[in-house]
Amino acid sequence: MTLKVLESYQKYFVPAIPRTPTNRYASIILLRETKSYAIFTTEGGEEQDVEEVSAGQSHSEKITRLVMFKRKQVAPERRTGKALLRQYGIFPYAIKDGKVVYGEEALREKDHYADCYLPEGLCTHCPDCLIYGYAAIEGEGARRARLMTDTCFSIRPYQIIQKQIKFNVIDEATHTSGTITEYDYTTPGVFLPAVETTVDLTADEFVYVLGNILRTSRYGKEGTRQGFVRNHILAIAFSDVELFANLEFTQAFYDALVEAGKNLVDDPLTLADLLEHAPSVIQKLTANLTGRLRLVTGDELEAILQDVRELNQDEERLRAFLKNLHEQAVSFAIKVAETEGRG
Ligand SMILES: [Zn+2]
């Protein structure tokens, strides 16, 4: 275990990557906040993704909300993690006499993994592949993700958090005004509550996932127009059942804010408002859980986040951490392949 701070939570993690589930859930409860204009569309879509849902859990009237699909949340975080693995020399790698070798030495091996990339070139042996999973790959089968999340929803109605912006493209050759294009944007300061639930991760794998969430700042439409999004971690929860859906989380915030006298159409909504209500919202949503729960917030949470930040600031420690994480993943993948007769 790399982070000493996690030693007291040891029983909530698995000591090694497991072959079969034991349902040790560690949920990262967070708020995603747009810090610039952003566009959330599915590929090729002209309009942003929205859904009509009940406003709250105790307010059944329908409102239209901006949605951020699961893939739009997780894919950028996977890319962040993989870029880090590349930066620290995990790719290229090869397996030589049952051991992992890197760099030039790896490239000399016939069967080396030069890279691992979404969606077609997944290597099936790295921490990303083993944590976030992959669809069927020839000769390798498929691997179920040990990280779950679902679509997240804005707290406020879509109509007041979006803006149509027109661009007048100046033709540089003729210096005349050319085509006018219009985009549908999400405005800055939009909050989307979310939970990412990890299942049966080792403590080090959990640190990798948490680091990816904290490092990732660009979400939305791929290409040049991605928006800056800040992830605020509200709590970490250890349990043996899943806690709540992202929609329920948004609806519970809606109820709490409206009951506190907030008008979610006319009044501003700030991070401070949400931080004030977060403890009671999470408490309410987890009060009737059919399972155990250990909630980590406040100073305890800050101690974990601080240790994750310090690890990420220290180049040498981070290099050793990623290498060890990768070696664990590879030796697990080799063992599985051997017992399944693919070794
Ligand atoms: Zn991989």
Side-chain angles (χ1 to χ4, degrees):
M1 182 174 300
T2 302
L3 295 192
K4 279 214 163 44
V5 70
L6 287 179
E7 271 166 17
S8 53
Y9 307 99
Q10 197 161 2
K11 68 170 178 176
Y12 303 114
F13 298 104
V14 290
I17 304 171
R19 297 288 296 266
T20 48
T22 61
N23 285 7
R24 285 181 173 88
Y25 292 99
S27 302
I28 300 164
I29 302 174
L30 68 147
L31 278 175
R32 303 192 192 277
E33 180 189 10
T34 57
K35 286 286 189 184
S36 74
Y37 287 98
I39 302 179
F40 297 103
T41 57
T42 35
E43 264 54 58
E46 289 289 308
E47 273 149 32
Q48 294 199 97
D49 302 318
V50 296
E51 192 59 69
E52 195 184 58
V53 291
S54 292
Q57 295 194 300
S58 49
H59 293 81
S60 59
E61 67 275 16
K62 298 279 188 209
I63 64 169
T64 300
R65 290 191 154 110
L66 172 76
V67 303
M68 198 175 163
F69 288 113
K70 172 188 165 179
R71 213 190 71 78
K72 292 282 159 186
Q73 301 173 65
V74 175
E77 291 162 11
R78 289 186 79 161
R79 283 196 293 269
T80 297
K82 272 199 233 272
L84 192 68
L85 293 174
R86 281 183 210 115
Q87 188 192 335
Y88 280 82
I90 299 300
F91 296 103
Y93 73 91
I95 299 150
K96 187 182 178 182
D97 308 325
K99 289 195 117 176
V100 198
V101 291
Y102 298 97
E104 290 296 315
E105 198 184 349
L107 288 173
R108 281 197 295 272
E109 295 299 307
K110 189 165 69 72
D111 294 319
H112 62 260
Y113 299 94
D115 201 348
C116 176
Y117 52 89
L118 292 160
E120 299 285 311
L122 293 171
C123 77
T124 74
H125 285 62
C126 77
D128 175 85
C129 286
L130 292 191
I131 294 169
Y132 295 95
Y134 50 84
I137 290 173
E138 211 185 322
E140 294 285 351
R143 177 156 300 283
R144 195 164 6 141
R146 283 179 292 144
L147 180 138
M148 306 182 291
T149 188
D150 48 41
T151 304
C152 65
F153 299 79
S154 64
I155 297 174
R156 307 176 86 189
Y158 183 63
Q159 302 84 279
I160 59 160
I161 58 168
Q162 66 92 34
K163 201 172 186 177
Q164 294 257 316
I165 301 174
K166 278 184 187 164
F167 290 96
N168 188 356
V169 182
I170 304 293
D171 188 313
E172 284 191 330
T174 59
H175 299 282
T176 54
S177 149
T179 34
I180 292 175
T181 49
E182 193 169 321
Y183 291 108
D184 192 16
Y185 279 89
T186 297
T187 54
V190 172
F191 294 95
L192 302 112
V195 188
E196 288 195 25
T197 304
T198 68
V199 197
D200 296 334
L201 292 195
T202 66
D204 282 356
E205 287 178 319
F206 182 77
V207 168
Y208 176 74
V209 168
L210 194 52
N212 290 347
I213 294 174
L214 292 169
R215 275 176 182 271
T216 306
S217 49
R218 294 282 166 179
Y219 294 83
K221 195 176 164 94
E222 280 157 39
T224 52
R225 292 187 295 268
Q226 293 188 88
F228 197 107
V229 172
R230 185 66 77 188
N231 291 320
H232 307 282
I233 312 285
L234 300 175
I236 291 171
F238 300 109
S239 62
D240 53 5
V241 285
E242 262 199 277
L243 303 181
F244 43 81
N246 286 339
L247 178 59
E248 293 173 316
F249 196 14
T250 288
Q251 289 171 327
F253 264 119
Y254 180 95
D255 289 340
L257 291 161
V258 168
E259 277 148 34
K262 194 104 173 138
N263 182 326
L264 286 171
V265 173
D266 298 327
D267 297 342
L269 182 63
T270 64
L271 179 62
D273 294 326
L274 296 169
L275 292 180
E276 184 196 329
H277 290 283
S280 62
V281 164
I282 295 168
Q283 211 281 326
K284 201 174 165 195
L285 285 168
T286 55
N288 292 313
L289 222 55
T290 311
R292 62 165 170 73
L293 173 71
R294 167 76 166 88
L295 198 60
V296 179
T297 57
D299 290 346
E300 276 189 317
L301 173 68
E302 188 44 42
I304 295 175
L305 298 179
Q306 185 53 32
D307 271 26
V308 172
R309 285 192 285 262
E310 276 170 21
L311 172 67
N312 279 272
Q313 287 160 3
D314 186 332
E315 201 178 323
E316 283 319 304
R317 259 186 83 205
L318 185 60
R319 187 184 306 282
F321 168 79
L322 293 173
K323 214 167 151 238
N324 181 264
L325 187 73
H326 181 243
E327 282 166 357
Q328 301 293 328
V330 170
S331 62
F332 174 79
I334 291 174
K335 250 189 294 165
V336 171
E338 277 169 4
T339 52
E340 288 175 7
R342 287 191 263 103

